[in-house]
């Protein structure tokens, strides 16, 4: 479908493109949109005459940013873990919670039991909350099925979300998330006999945009992740990794050696790993929701990431266990308050750098040729997006060629 060309006027463009101004800000700007892409952006007074005849829409002096991108979610899953949350706060030990069927296995059980339609409807309620905050692109992982049928079902639901709502979806295969009960004590067999064949099947069905794993003492070892990544490479799929969340197993370095799009969590990342990420162009994805929920105290090494020029993204990690965080705006606030990111870094983390973490080159900035995914805000300064807690100033969301 070809959208009508449009001229957005009377706005302040927070382009996040690399011009000399903070935030790539252009005040008193206009944006020309043609065929769902930005045709021109600049000071309204300098607008080329070829655009002056387009259908005008005044934005009344509001601030326009790129549409926000949540580059790490587990938004498709069955059930929730509220009772487990309550048990723990009433003093139950980890073992007691596990004996009562809690933890990641409870989400696997609930996800396996849920129909495709149930998974879709529950995910859409969460997606709609993000859409209301100006999110226009979302990444969605599998990883709560851990059997072939349910992993494929999760990925089909993730794809279906893009048919149900005007949002772009990138799918990530996360079969290497945990070992299911039926393979207890046989992690290697799970990887070789179930995870990898399921990845191949999901790829054959066109359901996979990237491949992820959970590299951790309580999950999979680097050599097991490497076997999954070898298959991803063979299939031509980019990789990313949950790395250095609870300990340092050298996951980020491993991921970088496969040219990973991103290494995520990274609280325990060291300078060696940061260097490897810088060399490979791997984005560091910071997930304050999991840090907060787990009451972690080890800070991700932002100064080292800055020193070596590693782009940093921010995401919700929206999942029922360690990050029931359904807000990209609160995620930005947490990035600033918990980790001392600047509001500009936080906004870059959910726009330009989030796009890079997903391998998307035509999203995340407002510039000629980019998809015209935009968020229009009732604010005067971009820092307000990170500053307020529990306040949503979205005025309007525009999604390029999507309807
Ligand atoms: N990182 C985490 O913290 C979890 N998964 C992951 O990759 C936990 C997921 C869960 O508890 O459901
Ligand atoms: Fe995660």
């Amino acid at each position: 479908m070809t959208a009508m060309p449009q001229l957005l006027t009377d706005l302040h463009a927070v382009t996040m493109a690399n011009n000399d101004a903070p935030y790539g800000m252009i005040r008193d700007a206009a944006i020309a949109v043609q065929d769902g892409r930005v045709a021109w952006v600049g000071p309204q007074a300098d607008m080329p005459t070829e655009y002056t005849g387009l259908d005008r829409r005044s934005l009344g002096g509001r601030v326009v940013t790129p549409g926000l991108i949540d580059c790490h979610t587990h938004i498709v899953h069955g059930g929730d873990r509220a009772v487990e949350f309550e048990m723990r706060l009433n003093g139950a030990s980890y073992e007691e919670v596990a004996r009562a069927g809690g933890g990641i296995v409870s989400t696997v059980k609930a996800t396996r039991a849920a129909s495709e339609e149930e998974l879709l409807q529950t995910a859409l309620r969460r997606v709609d909350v993000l859409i209301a905050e100006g999110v226009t692109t979302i990444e969605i992982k599998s990883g709560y099925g851990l059997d072939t049928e349910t992993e494929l079902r999760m990925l089909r639901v993730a794809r279906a979300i893009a048919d149900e709502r005007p949002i772009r979806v990138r799918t990530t295969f996360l079969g290497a998330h945990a070992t299911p009960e039926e393979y207890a004590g046989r992690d290697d067999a799970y990887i070789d006999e179930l995870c990898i064949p399921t990845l191949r099947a999901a790829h054959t069905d066109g359901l996979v945009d990237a491949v992820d794993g959970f590299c951790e003492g309580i999950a999979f070892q680097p050599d097991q992740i490497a076997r999954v990544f070898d298959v991803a490479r063979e299939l031509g799929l980019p990789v990313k990794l949950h790395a250095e969340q609870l300990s340092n197993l050298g996951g980020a370095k491993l991921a970088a050696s496969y040219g990973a799009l991103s290494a995520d969590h990274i609280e325990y990342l060291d300078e060696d790993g940061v260097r490897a990420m810088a060399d490979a162009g791997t984005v560091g994805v910071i997930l304050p929701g999991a840090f907060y929920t787990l009451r972690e105290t080890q800070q991700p090494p932002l100064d080292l990431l800055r020193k070596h020029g590693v782009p940093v993204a921010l995401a919700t990690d929206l999942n029922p266990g360690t990050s029931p965080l359904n807000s990209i705006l609160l995620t930005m606030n947490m990035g600033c308050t918990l980790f001392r990111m600047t509001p500009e870094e936080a906004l870059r983390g959910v726009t330009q750098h989030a796009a890079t973490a997903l391998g998307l080159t035509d999203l995340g900035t407002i510039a000629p040729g980019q998809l015209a995914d935009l968020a229009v805000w009732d604010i005067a300064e971009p820092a307000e997006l990170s500053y307020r807690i529990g306040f949503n100033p979205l005025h309007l969301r525009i999604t390029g060629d999507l309807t």
Side-chain angles (χ1 to χ4, degrees):
M1 188 202 99
T2 309
M4 286 294 286
Q6 230 189 357
L7 185 66
L8 306 172
T9 63
D10 309 292
L11 58 93
H12 304 296
V14 172
T15 70
M16 307 315 284
N18 299 323
N19 63 23
D20 289 335
Y23 298 91
M25 172 84 116
I26 305 171
R27 295 206 185 258
D28 303 310
I31 301 172
V33 176
Q34 227 154 4
D35 299 326
R37 292 189 181 260
V38 174
W40 182 84
V41 56
Q44 193 161 329
D46 300 349
M47 192 166 50
T49 48
E50 58 185 296
Y51 301 117
T52 50
L54 295 184
D55 239 10
R56 276 182 187 237
R57 178 168 190 170
S58 168
L59 295 179
R62 293 187 175 87
V63 166
V64 180
T65 67
L68 305 188
I69 299 171
D70 191 350
C71 70
H72 181 141
T73 86
H74 308 253
I75 207 164
V76 172
H77 58 260
D80 65 58
R81 308 245 283 275
V83 169
E84 179 182 322
F85 174 74
E86 187 164 34
M87 278 178 74
R88 268 189 280 112
L89 286 164
N90 280 309
S93 69
Y94 188 79
E95 283 72 27
E96 285 166 327
V97 171
R99 244 184 286 122
I104 196 164
V105 286
S106 80
T107 300
V108 172
K109 207 167 154 191
T111 304
R112 287 178 177 180
S115 70
E116 205 151 323
E117 185 59 21
E118 282 164 354
L119 287 176
L120 177 61
Q121 292 309 323
T122 53
L124 284 174
R125 293 192 60 180
R126 299 185 274 266
V127 168
D128 285 340
V129 173
L130 294 176
I131 285 175
E133 287 190 336
V135 171
T136 51
T137 297
I138 181 176
E139 184 258 17
I140 301 176
K141 301 177 195 296
S142 71
Y144 284 122
L146 310 181
D147 62 27
T148 303
E149 187 193 324
T150 317
E151 287 291 303
L152 296 186
R153 191 189 315 144
M154 288 183 76
L155 292 167
R156 282 195 302 271
V157 169
R159 286 271 193 253
I161 286 170
D163 300 327
E164 296 287 325
R165 296 292 188 271
I167 191 165
R168 299 177 206 279
V169 171
R170 301 298 286 177
T171 57
T172 300
F173 176 78
L174 179 57
H177 190 196
T179 301
E181 277 177 327
E182 56 275 20
Y183 279 91
R186 297 187 295 133
D187 298 359
D188 282 313
Y190 170 71
I191 291 289
D192 299 328
E193 294 166 19
L194 195 125
C195 179
I196 287 173
T198 302
L199 166 57
R200 292 185 185 282
H203 173 68
T204 300
D205 288 356
L207 294 172
V208 186
D209 297 323
V211 175
D212 196 350
F214 189 15
C215 186
E216 194 57 67
I218 59 165
F220 296 101
Q221 300 304 304
D223 65 302
Q224 294 164 332
I225 297 293
R227 297 213 291 284
V228 178
F229 282 3
D230 284 337
V231 175
R233 180 181 273 168
E234 176 202 319
L235 299 175
L237 294 169
V239 302
K240 41 183 57 241
L241 190 63
H242 288 69
E244 274 76 273
Q245 181 187 6
L246 309 169
S247 64
N248 185 349
L249 296 187
K253 205 167 171 177
L254 171 77
S257 76
Y258 284 83
L261 292 173
S262 68
D264 302 37
H265 286 290
I266 57 173
E267 280 88 338
Y268 288 81
L269 180 64
D270 60 20
E271 188 158 12
D272 221 28
V274 173
R275 263 195 220 98
M277 288 170 67
D279 290 345
T282 300
V283 175
V285 179
I286 305 286
L287 305 169
F291 177 95
Y292 170 88
T293 301
L294 296 171
R295 307 181 80 227
E296 178 59 66
T297 53
Q298 173 82 21
Q299 296 255 332
L302 277 161
D303 282 339
L304 288 175
L305 294 162
R306 290 183 185 110
K307 173 177 157 193
H308 292 281
V310 173
V312 172
L314 266 173
T316 62
D317 194 17
L318 177 36
N319 79 62
T322 59
S323 189
L325 171 57
N326 209 143
S327 168
I328 196 79
L329 293 174
L330 180 53
T331 300
M332 293 165 70
N333 173 270
M334 290 168 120
C336 295
T337 300
L338 294 173
F339 304 138
R340 314 312 291 167
M341 291 173 74
T342 67
E344 183 176 354
E345 286 174 329
L347 188 55
R348 225 169 261 291
V350 297
T351 55
Q352 187 190 31
H353 294 162
T356 307
L358 296 178
L360 301 170
T361 54
D362 55 1
L363 286 170
T365 59
I366 304 175
Q370 296 292 85
L371 284 162
D373 285 9
L374 306 169
V376 183
W377 306 94
D378 267 318
I379 57 176
E381 296 297 330
E384 287 179 59
L385 296 177
S386 294
Y387 158 70
R388 290 186 200 281
I389 302 170
F391 182 74
N392 179 4
L394 187 77
H395 173 70
L396 176 72
R397 210 184 63 117
I398 296 169
T399 43
D401 53 342
L402 300 181
T403 48

